[in-house]
């Protein structure tokens, strides 16, 4: 928890300010990183160029002051993200519940650029620390968003608690060092049976 302390020094309203400012910078027509990612993705993706373009154009709509709270409330609950929520249990006990961020590895799918955006958004909302392992079919989108975050505010806790990398899946020398409880508390894996089965090892 100490390693995530700077994330808990900011309020949810501060997170929304950051997300909204980021969303304004994620317009495809104004963001050279996303333009480069789109151009490269046209060579690797299974989506057609028009579909890819529409996916990139949809990214700013995720990162808004209106959509981010809706995602936070529907998936976790803003009250739980902001502090302790007291509840009365059926047996008379009173409990306090709070959602805490985690140091997580996100192994994301590459079938649409939106997945990279959602992973980064969810990481910010939950005040978590993320390593995003980009997929071979789309090693570009998460990196483009991360570069935009650095330009926005390199010293902001939400920027500092995000890393994006690509390595060939199944690289046991790397993964045995990385996939340790002292480094990673949770693994969020998208994908088919084979990729998820590999992670469970």
């Amino acid at each position: 928890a100490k390693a995530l302390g700077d994330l808990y020094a900011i309020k949810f309203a501060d997170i929304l300010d950051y997300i909204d400012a980021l969303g304004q910078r994620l317009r495809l027509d104004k963001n050279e990183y996303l333009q480069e990612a789109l151009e490269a993705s046209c060579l690797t993706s299974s989506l057609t160029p028009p579909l890819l373009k529409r996916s990139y154009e949809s990214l700013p709509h995720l990162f808004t002051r209106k959509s981010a709270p809706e995602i936070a409330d529907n998936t976790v609950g803003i009250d739980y993200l902001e502090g302790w929520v007291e509840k009365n249990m059926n047996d008379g006990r009173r409990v306090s519940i709070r959602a805490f961020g985690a140091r997580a590895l996100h192994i994301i799918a590459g079938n649409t650029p939106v997945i990279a955006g959602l992973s980064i958004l969810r990481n910010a909302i939950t005040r978590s620390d993320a390593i995003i392992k980009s997929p071979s079919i789309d090693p570009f989108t998460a990196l483009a968003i991360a570069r935009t975050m650095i330009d926005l505010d390199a010293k902001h806790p939400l920027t500092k608690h995000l890393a994006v990398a690509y390595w060939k899946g199944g690289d046991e020398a790397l993964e045995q060092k990385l996939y340790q409880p002292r480094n990673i508390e949770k693994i969020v894996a998208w994908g088919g049976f084979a990729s998820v089965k590999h992670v469970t090892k």
Side-chain angles (χ1 to χ4, degrees):
K2 186 178 178 185
L4 302 178
D6 56 344
L7 289 168
Y8 286 90
I10 58 177
K11 297 286 182 197
F12 192 72
D14 301 323
I15 294 173
L16 290 183
D17 288 343
Y18 179 96
I19 287 170
D20 196 65
L22 177 60
Q24 292 174 38
R25 290 176 176 238
L26 291 177
R27 287 186 45 186
L28 181 61
D29 61 343
K30 295 189 173 184
N31 187 308
E32 66 180 84
Y33 305 134
L34 289 177
Q35 291 166 9
E36 289 172 2
L38 172 59
E39 185 178 342
S41 292
C42 286
L43 303 174
T44 61
S45 177
S46 57
L47 296 178
T48 63
L51 283 175
L52 271 173
K53 186 176 183 207
R54 272 192 292 257
S55 292
Y56 278 103
E57 288 172 341
S58 74
L59 287 174
H61 303 294
L62 288 175
F63 293 85
T64 67
R65 196 177 304 280
K66 191 173 181 181
S67 67
E70 183 178 63
I71 292 168
D73 220 19
N74 289 335
T75 56
V76 182
I78 293 171
D79 290 346
Y80 296 95
L81 292 166
E82 276 294 81
W84 293 95
V85 177
E86 293 191 359
K87 296 266 186 184
N88 292 318
M89 306 301 284
N90 288 332
D91 61 6
R93 289 177 297 137
R94 190 156 178 81
V95 298
S96 295
I97 303 167
R98 181 169 186 173
F100 284 97
R103 299 175 78 188
L105 169 67
H106 295 256
I107 302 171
I108 64 173
N111 50 319
T112 173
V114 173
I115 293 172
L118 273 174
S119 298
I120 291 170
L121 178 63
R122 289 172 179 160
N123 187 67
I125 286 169
T126 58
R127 294 183 177 93
S128 293
D129 187 79
I131 299 169
I132 293 183
K133 180 192 180 301
S134 291
S136 59
I137 197 168
D138 179 15
F140 316 110
T141 306
L143 182 60
I145 297 171
R147 292 171 75 189
T148 306
M149 292 168 72
I150 291 167
D151 285 355
L152 173 62
D153 187 348
K155 294 183 180 179
H156 195 285
L158 295 175
T159 305
K160 289 172 24 179
H161 285 275
L162 176 70
V164 177
Y166 171 77
W167 64 89
K168 186 173 171 57
D171 182 338
E172 292 196 14
L174 172 70
E175 291 174 353
Q176 282 182 0
K177 289 179 183 175
L178 181 61
Y179 295 8
Q180 297 292 325
R182 68 179 177 270
N183 300 326
I184 305 291
E185 295 170 316
K186 294 182 179 180
I187 297 176
V188 180
W190 298 64
F193 178 74
S195 60
V196 173
K197 185 178 178 186
H198 172 73
V199 170
T200 62
K201 292 191 220 172

